[in-house]
Amino acid sequence: MHSTSTLRHLSSRINWRLSTGPDSYRRLFRLLRSGLVCREYLGRKRAAHELRDLPGIVIPERQGFAVVPQRDFPEIPEIPEIIRLSHEKFSGSLDSISRQRGDRPYATIALPREFADLSSPFMQLALNRKLTTAISRYLGAVPVLKKIEFWIAPPNSVSGGIPYGSQRYHCDDGDIRQVKLFVNLTDVTEANGPLVMLSAEESQRIRRKLRYRYHQMLPDAVIHGHIDEQDAVAFTGPRGTAVLADTSRCFHYGARVRKNAETRFTLFYHFIVPGAFKLALDHRSETAFSHLNSPELSPLQRMVLGAS
């Protein structure tokens, strides 16, 4: 038992060191992990290739993110109902929840069980063909839905006026590329601590100059020494606005909510491909929604839920 525990600890340390290292280390390590899940990965790549010519939302390669304004995408009808149900469930408790955030600038709540049902608009959005097609084409393989959470960032969340943790510029170490979907459940202005991102192209240039390692959180001054401040894109907008963002390729920060601003309330989806650093090689062992798989779903939807 002791030797098994030691081996697991060593494996975890190696995974962390390689996945948080420079891009060159990460690419080699990812190639190895892809080989270990080769059959699964290739099947998902073939499925994504079949979607390449379909019209719809595009996440530009050089940019690494795309805004999905609700008014322009009526084919995503789930969002208004999601907003209604979210406020009905949590609006009265946002302040008390935000006080339980520990050392993070925001609190998180996993999708409640009552919403984790195929008939729920929360799951219908996760399986929306327009979105899953866009994400699959960008990633080059059909992803797994790893988690759905609510994020709650309270006013005056910048401790002592100095950004900390994920309020500082960073790139996520979850994989070489991944897609996170952020849905505004409240109106977001500059005062509400919006998600702020640099393009994937600019981020790569900065990582090379800084010899960046993926566990580093960088102050604004470091990043601003390499860009014009206007190059940073703040994702503000009315409730219902959504952003598809590759937080591995793009430097970003968020949740810098000002003192007298409204609490920022966000719905978060995480899509990641088998072989990713933050996903077990047997991804079904930690896929939260694989139990929802049904013969009535399309092959694409079954893959997203975690089926092989």
Side-chain angles (χ1 to χ4, degrees):
M1 181 68 72
H2 178 70
S3 61
T4 301
S5 176
T6 301
L7 186 60
R8 284 177 179 167
H9 176 73
L10 179 61
S11 175
S12 177
R13 288 292 299 172
I14 292 172
N15 186 74
W16 181 83
R17 287 190 66 84
L18 292 175
S19 66
T20 60
D23 283 330
S24 55
Y25 285 27
R26 285 164 52 84
R27 285 193 295 270
L28 287 172
F29 187 40
R30 186 59 171 85
L31 187 61
L32 171 62
R33 289 182 63 89
S34 296
L36 295 173
V37 292
C38 181
R39 183 175 178 182
E40 172 80 16
Y41 187 63
L42 289 177
R44 288 172 177 267
K45 281 184 71 69
R46 284 193 294 270
H49 185 70
E50 293 171 2
L51 304 171
R52 67 191 184 281
D53 295 326
L54 294 178
I57 304 163
V58 173
I59 305 173
E61 179 69 18
R62 295 174 63 180
Q63 192 162 288
F65 53 77
V67 178
V68 188
Q70 173 67 11
R71 66 182 182 276
D72 294 339
F73 287 94
E75 67 267 27
I76 304 178
E78 300 88 358
I79 289 180
E81 183 66 2
I82 282 172
I83 293 171
R84 185 188 71 79
L85 290 172
S86 300
H87 282 271
E88 189 176 275
K89 176 74 175 176
F90 294 114
S91 279
S93 57
L94 291 182
D95 289 342
S96 61
I97 292 168
S98 67
R99 287 195 291 271
Q100 302 167 20
R101 56 200 170 97
D103 61 351
R104 303 179 98 182
Y106 56 87
T108 61
I109 307 172
L111 186 73
R113 183 169 295 182
E114 70 228 58
F115 294 152
D117 181 270
L118 287 178
S119 63
S120 156
F122 295 90
M123 294 310 303
Q124 290 171 6
L125 178 60
L127 299 176
N128 180 284
R129 184 173 177 83
K130 296 281 186 180
L131 289 177
T132 54
T133 295
I135 294 166
S136 298
R137 287 190 301 203
Y138 174 78
L139 294 176
V142 177
V144 173
L145 173 62
K146 192 175 191 296
K147 66 172 72 171
I148 304 174
E149 293 178 335
F150 292 94
W151 288 10
I152 301 160
N156 201 26
S157 61
V158 182
S159 179
I162 302 173
Y164 70 104
S166 60
Q167 292 176 326
R168 294 185 290 170
Y169 276 106
H170 63 285
C171 294
D172 292 345
D173 64 352
D175 200 8
I176 295 296
R177 58 175 65 203
Q178 59 186 341
V179 173
K180 295 182 177 181
L181 170 65
F182 301 87
V183 182
N184 291 346
L185 300 176
T186 50
D187 297 342
V188 176
T189 67
E190 291 280 356
N192 302 110
L195 174 67
V196 175
M197 299 191 78
L198 303 182
S199 73
E201 188 174 61
E202 278 292 291
S203 297
Q204 183 181 44
R205 181 179 64 81
I206 294 170
R207 283 197 304 272
R208 286 173 176 168
K209 284 190 173 183
L210 298 178
R211 297 183 180 178
Y212 179 75
R213 297 183 69 92
Y214 280 70
H215 59 85
Q216 294 174 304
M217 304 286 179
L218 303 178
D220 290 2
V222 172
I223 294 294
H224 291 168
H226 297 276
I227 63 166
D228 292 327
E229 288 188 39
Q230 60 265 29
D231 292 338
V233 180
F235 294 106
T236 58
R239 61 181 65 191
T241 302
V243 179
L244 290 164
D246 185 342
T247 58
S248 287
R249 294 181 65 222
C250 300
F251 273 111
H252 63 284
Y253 69 81
R256 298 183 187 178
V257 187
R258 296 177 192 169
K259 185 174 182 178
N260 297 316
E262 182 184 4
T263 293
R264 179 181 158 204
F265 189 25
T266 307
L267 181 63
F268 164 81
Y269 292 74
H270 187 188
F271 296 91
I272 202 164
V273 171
F277 306 133
K278 287 292 181 72
L279 196 63
L281 290 174
D282 179 7
H283 65 272
R284 288 161 295 188
S285 67
E286 60 177 36
T287 303
F289 305 104
S290 57
H291 65 284
L292 297 176
N293 267 309
S294 164
E296 299 174 2
L297 297 174
S298 70
L300 176 65
Q301 291 173 322
R302 288 175 57 80
M303 284 185 180
V304 171
L305 289 177
S308 296

